[in-house]
Amino acid sequence: MYRTRPNSVDRRLACRAEDVQESPTRLLSAAQMQAVDARAVAQGLDSFALMTAAGEAVAAATIDLLVARPGRVLVMAGPGNNGGDGAVAARALHEQGHRVCLWRFVSRSDPSPATQGDAASDAERAFADWQGETHHCRLDESQLPPSLAELIARADVIVDALFGAGLSRPLEGVLAEVVALVNASVARVLAVDVPSGLDGNSHQVSGACIEATATVTFFLFKPAHFLYPGRALCGDKTLAQIGLGDAQLDPAWPVCQLNEPAAFEAELPVLSNDGHKFDRGHVLVRSGPMVSTGAARLSAHAALYCGAGLVTLASQEQALAVNAAHLTAVMLKHCDTVSQWRELLQDSRINTVVVGPGNGVDEHTRGCTLESLAAGKRCVLDADALSCWTDAEDRRSLFQQLQEAAGMAVLTPHGGEFRRLFPELSAEDRPGESASRLHLARQAARRTSAVLVYKGADTVIAAPDGRAAISANAPPWLATAGAGDVLAGVIASLMAQGMPAFEAACAAVWLHGQAASDLQYPISAEQLLTRVPDVLRSISPVNR
């Protein structure tokens, strides 16, 4: 769950209300957020006013977690600006009658400003303004102070203001001990920015990490809030506005966004009053052999149910009777060989094809995949169409054809299929940075000039130009047989109706997840088939 909290201190900030981002859709990496802060200062915004607003938002989120009034709050503050946010929050909570103890972690034994860097820093000013109970602990301590363990055990809420999203090293030594005690405690835990130990650039955890009940962050969410493992570590997420706005964003940054209707609704199909079915595209789906026809039929039905004007299933002769027994509005064509598939593709009315579901990992699937790309059709490559490239030379031929197709294709691999198709992608491709699902999807999209739907609990959609979207609405019960085949058909349907590949993929992934959430556990792929059109109907501009 996530929510937004409006700016509570606008009157003190040099920022017009219309400059504040109201949508939580845009996501920023830790490095981008640091650049936003630097721009704000360069543009004349009061950095201490920003810290004060952030700290007051932390205090408000802490109060939301407190069951008892007044409550016992332990603020664990690190040496940087995250710690400063914690100090501001401590003061605000104390003024509201809560019992607050601030435990400050410092890099040297003397915590005075003279030994902690710039005496005029915002964090030092915040610590100086706090006059309540304070304890200190050096980051290089060999043993955890017993009094800290006691405070952790007695706290109602623990505020984790140790380290923000910019932390890139594992938490070790005394910090790891602190994290272990906090995670084992009965206290509710509020993380400031991200749980300490979660890297906001790599989106990974390499050591100990706080397991938060809730997280409050500022201006815009980060990918690490919605990608695993961070998604599970953050708890409920609150976005607080503190006085930053669009003026601090660099327009050259590739957009990463949360996958919500705002990301794609402008491109949803709009019907013309004098249109006909061919205006909404013709999808061609390749079927598998007699014993594996169901997957392709799920894709074909999904394409038809989501608005494609026509859908044809191309079937091997041995499977014609089986497919005919299950089809009514979906048309059926005989297709045994790659050359027959090539002939079907010559029909100019067919503008989108689906290859892979139940097709078999063989040379025929490889051939039909390459022919589809060469024919200039919009392509959705799923399942076996992603797993039949057994060696590097095969993959090079596929990637070359994808690059020539230039954004006309959507690839929909799950983790295993991704590793088979892109075995060379690894952390080494990004020196000093672990490869999260977001990084990998973006690399693969650039390499293939295709849209990547990297499926999982935190599905990422990536475009060749660097745009990306992270899906956060899919429930765990969406992981069921045939669900991916339905998704392939929905993507193809929207592409056939004219949606660009990236937006079609974003829309299909969101619709797919929302349909599963609406159905609740347990579900089947057949139920998804009927529910996805209902969800599309609810947001379609055609019905407004």
Side-chain angles (χ1 to χ4, degrees):
M1 184 188 83
Y2 69 89
R3 62 178 180 172
T4 59
R5 186 186 296 278
N7 184 6
S8 61
V9 288
D10 284 341
R11 64 189 182 278
R12 285 181 288 160
L13 300 175
C15 178
R16 296 177 302 166
E18 60 266 29
D19 288 335
V20 174
Q21 279 266 350
E22 295 184 353
S23 171
T25 300
R26 182 78 182 260
L27 306 175
L28 295 183
S29 69
Q32 289 170 334
M33 192 62 215
Q34 289 167 348
V36 164
D37 290 337
R39 279 181 169 225
V41 173
Q43 292 168 359
L45 292 184
D46 184 341
S47 60
F48 187 70
L50 297 175
M51 178 172 285
T52 299
E56 292 182 356
V58 172
T62 302
I63 292 171
D64 289 344
L65 291 181
L66 281 167
V67 176
R69 301 289 196 272
R72 292 170 296 186
V73 179
L74 170 63
V75 178
M76 301 191 306
N81 285 344
N82 224 46
D85 296 341
V88 172
R91 187 183 74 247
L93 289 165
H94 178 73
E95 290 171 352
Q96 296 180 59
H98 299 283
R99 289 169 287 174
V100 183
C101 174
L102 187 143
W103 198 288
R104 187 179 180 189
F105 289 78
V106 296
S107 57
R108 294 188 177 92
S109 58
D110 180 3
S112 65
T115 62
Q116 292 299 307
D118 183 359
S121 73
D122 294 331
E124 288 304 333
R125 182 175 170 185
F127 284 118
D129 287 346
W130 165 249
Q131 300 298 318
E133 180 184 354
T134 307
H135 302 271
H136 299 94
C137 178
R138 294 201 319 270
L139 293 175
D140 58 355
E141 287 275 13
S142 59
Q143 290 186 334
L144 183 72
S147 53
L148 178 55
E150 293 172 9
L151 287 168
I152 290 172
R154 294 201 308 265
D156 296 313
V157 172
I158 298 171
V159 177
D160 164 28
L162 290 170
F163 300 99
L167 181 73
S168 58
R169 64 182 186 278
L171 299 184
E172 300 171 333
V174 69
L175 288 172
E177 292 184 54
V178 170
V179 169
L181 283 175
V182 170
N183 290 344
S185 74
V186 296
R188 298 184 177 190
V189 181
L190 176 70
V192 179
D193 194 18
V194 298
S196 291
L198 176 61
D199 187 327
N201 288 314
S202 72
H203 321 132
Q204 303 293 303
V205 171
S206 57
C209 188
I210 291 288
E211 298 169 9
T213 309
T215 297
V216 59
T217 194
F218 316 109
F219 180 42
L220 292 172
F221 284 118
K222 298 174 178 63
H225 291 127
F226 297 100
L227 292 167
Y228 284 101
R231 186 160 146 191
L233 295 167
C234 288
D236 294 339
K237 294 171 280 291
T238 296
L239 180 67
Q241 293 302 336
I242 61 172
L244 298 168
D246 287 346
Q248 284 79 55
L249 295 173
D250 186 339
W253 287 338
V255 172
C256 181
Q257 57 198 345
L258 193 62
N259 191 33
E260 298 176 310
F264 55 77
E265 60 187 354
E267 299 290 349
L268 286 169
V270 178
L271 275 59
S272 170
N273 288 334
D274 60 351
H276 52 78
K277 60 188 177 184
F278 285 108
D279 292 335
R280 300 203 308 277
H282 186 168
V283 178
L284 176 65
V285 182
R286 183 172 185 259
S287 174
M290 184 172 62
V291 295
S292 58
T293 58
R297 282 200 304 275
L298 286 170
S299 296
H301 279 125
L304 188 67
Y305 293 176
C306 286
L310 299 96
V311 178
T312 294
L313 185 67
S315 171
Q316 297 176 25
E317 184 174 11
Q318 58 166 290
L320 282 171
V322 175
N323 280 319
H326 290 85
L327 300 178
T328 304
V330 173
M331 298 180 289
L332 190 61
K333 290 283 188 180
H334 172 219
C335 179
D336 272 315
T337 65
V338 174
S339 61
Q340 289 172 330
W341 176 259
R342 187 186 306 117
E343 291 176 12
L344 289 176
L345 293 173
Q346 292 175 6
D347 185 340
S348 60
R349 295 172 298 181
I350 293 172
N351 65 346
T352 308
V353 300
V354 179
V355 184
N359 284 187
V361 179
D362 55 35
E363 61 184 18
H364 296 290
T365 300
R366 284 197 299 273
C368 289
T369 299
L370 294 175
E371 289 291 342
S372 301
L373 294 168
K377 308 292 184 182
R378 299 167 182 168
C379 297
V380 179
L381 305 184
D382 182 51
D384 295 340
L386 304 172
S387 297
C388 60
W389 312 93
T390 55
D391 58 42
E393 187 58 38
D394 283 339
R395 289 191 293 276
R396 275 194 291 272
S397 64
L398 172 65
F399 293 173
Q400 180 178 349
Q401 200 66 262
L402 285 167
Q403 289 159 5
E404 292 176 3
M408 297 284 283
V410 176
L411 314 183
T412 62
H414 57 56
E417 291 162 347
F418 189 96
R419 287 187 291 273
R420 287 191 289 273
L421 192 58
F422 302 102
E424 71 284 2
L425 290 185
S426 65
E428 284 73 28
D429 290 329
R430 301 179 67 89
E433 189 172 278
S434 299
S436 74
R437 186 181 293 269
L438 174 61
H439 298 322
L440 290 170
R442 276 176 157 163
Q443 290 176 61
R446 286 194 298 268
R447 188 160 299 190
T448 59
S449 297
V451 171
L452 256 290
V453 178
Y454 193 176
K455 296 185 296 191
D458 49 354
T459 293
V460 173
I461 307 100
D465 61 6
R467 288 176 297 158
I470 300 171
S471 181
N473 71 330
W477 52 87
L478 183 53
T480 187
D485 306 316
V486 173
L487 176 62
V490 179
I491 297 171
S493 182
L494 296 174
M495 290 174 69
Q497 295 173 76
M499 285 189 78
F502 178 71
E503 286 79 6
C506 288
V509 169
W510 185 87
L511 293 166
H512 197 237
Q514 192 59 46
S517 293
D518 291 350
L519 287 168
Q520 301 186 349
Y521 175 80
I523 64 171
S524 68
E526 289 86 351
Q527 290 173 300
L528 276 175
L529 272 179
T530 58
R531 184 58 191 167
V532 170
D534 290 339
V535 180
L536 175 57
R537 201 171 292 120
S538 71
I539 65 169
S540 173
V542 174
N543 297 319
R544 293 174 188 163

